[in-house]
Amino acid sequence: MSSILSLLILWTAVSAQPAFSSQDPVQAVRNALQNISKDAGSSFVVTKETLASLPGPGKGIVYTARPLGDDPGARNIPVDVQVKKNGRAVARRTLVFPRKNTEVRVVPLRDIQPGEMLDDRLVKLSAARGSGQPGRYASHLGQVSGSTAKIRLVAGRPIELRHLKQPLAVKRGDKVTVKLNLGTMAVEMAGKALEDGSTGDRIRVVNPRSGRSFMAKLIGPGTAKMEMEE
């Protein structure tokens, strides 16, 4: 009886709120949240990343969003999002959108073992209270996809970036484009990596012409920034 009552209450809540459709999923959700209170649409976190589990926009794709609640002061608002292609339903998700005083974090769907590579199928986005430590936790799927766990990552617990080993940006022996800023002048030169490294790592690079080696910080695949040594 309690299950039936819960379903009835949920159905009543869904039916009580108007639906908003758009070919842009972000716009559909923002319009739905906007209906709850005057500024709800702008005070909630709604980005393409929070909608990553939905099919992407395309020809004939229409998104319909309907809030599952009507409390303008709620910290999080669940929204029912339906996706149709040429009038045929292709997906439906209930997504939770946090206010801006909360943070979106990436959490594992199951325990991830050390050395295991992460991909979009193993993680999801989740809302959490702000930590006051910007950059500590992964906040979008691109930060974890392709990376490897350094330690055991517990299901449902926000992933700290320091617990991930990012994909290699260069391998030992690879060619590297090295950038160097000299005042207002930007200089680029060719180098060769003397060790493996991920984006953000400092590795030793050699200038093939002079044979001189130096430290450089990897800023992307095959690209580094030279660090002047004292």
Side-chain angles (χ1 to χ4, degrees):
M1 180 65 71
S2 61
S3 297
I4 295 176
L5 181 60
S6 297
L7 288 173
L8 182 60
I9 292 173
L10 178 59
W11 172 254
T12 301
V14 171
S15 301
Q17 296 296 328
F20 296 84
S21 298
S22 174
Q23 293 180 323
D24 178 358
V26 174
Q27 190 61 52
V29 171
R30 283 179 175 166
N31 289 343
L33 292 171
Q34 182 77 28
N35 186 66
I36 296 175
S37 66
K38 186 175 181 180
D39 62 350
S42 60
S43 64
F44 281 82
V45 178
V46 185
T47 66
K48 291 181 180 180
E49 288 290 338
T50 60
L51 301 169
S53 63
L54 297 173
K59 186 176 180 180
I61 298 288
V62 176
Y63 303 85
T64 301
R66 189 194 304 268
L68 302 181
D70 58 3
D71 179 6
R75 179 178 294 276
N76 303 304
I77 294 290
V79 176
D80 176 67
V81 184
Q82 298 183 57
V83 186
K84 291 184 178 181
K85 183 174 183 179
N86 298 325
R88 183 175 63 86
V90 294
R92 184 172 185 172
R93 303 282 190 278
T94 297
L95 305 174
V96 178
F97 296 89
R99 289 189 184 277
K100 288 185 178 179
N101 58 357
T102 63
E103 295 178 356
V104 175
R105 297 177 184 167
V106 182
V107 301
L109 292 171
R110 62 167 174 79
D111 286 3
I112 307 295
Q113 302 305 318
E116 187 173 356
M117 182 176 291
L118 284 74
D119 61 36
D120 294 353
R121 297 170 298 175
L122 298 177
V123 296
K124 69 174 183 178
L125 296 171
S126 179
R129 291 189 178 184
S131 65
Q133 302 178 55
R136 177 179 177 182
Y137 297 98
S139 59
H140 59 85
L141 302 180
Q143 288 179 296
V144 305
S145 184
S147 61
T148 303
K150 293 181 179 179
I151 66 170
R152 177 170 166 264
L153 305 176
V154 179
R157 185 175 298 175
I159 297 175
E160 294 190 42
L161 292 173
R162 65 192 179 99
H163 293 155
L164 299 176
K165 181 174 179 58
Q166 298 299 327
L168 290 179
V170 297
K171 294 182 180 180
R172 181 178 179 180
D174 283 353
K175 293 181 179 179
V176 181
T177 298
V178 182
K179 299 183 178 183
L180 174 63
N181 293 326
L182 297 174
T184 58
M185 183 172 60
V187 178
E188 289 189 3
M189 65 179 184
K192 184 171 74 172
L194 295 180
E195 52 192 319
D196 297 344
S198 303
T199 299
D201 288 346
R202 296 175 70 251
I203 66 168
R204 187 160 289 279
V205 177
V206 65
N207 182 332
R209 291 186 176 182
S210 66
R212 176 175 173 267
S213 65
F214 52 88
M215 298 302 296
K217 183 177 181 179
L218 291 169
I219 57 176
T223 309
K225 183 177 180 180
M226 184 175 179
E227 297 187 332
M228 303 299 293
E229 296 181 346
E230 299 277 336

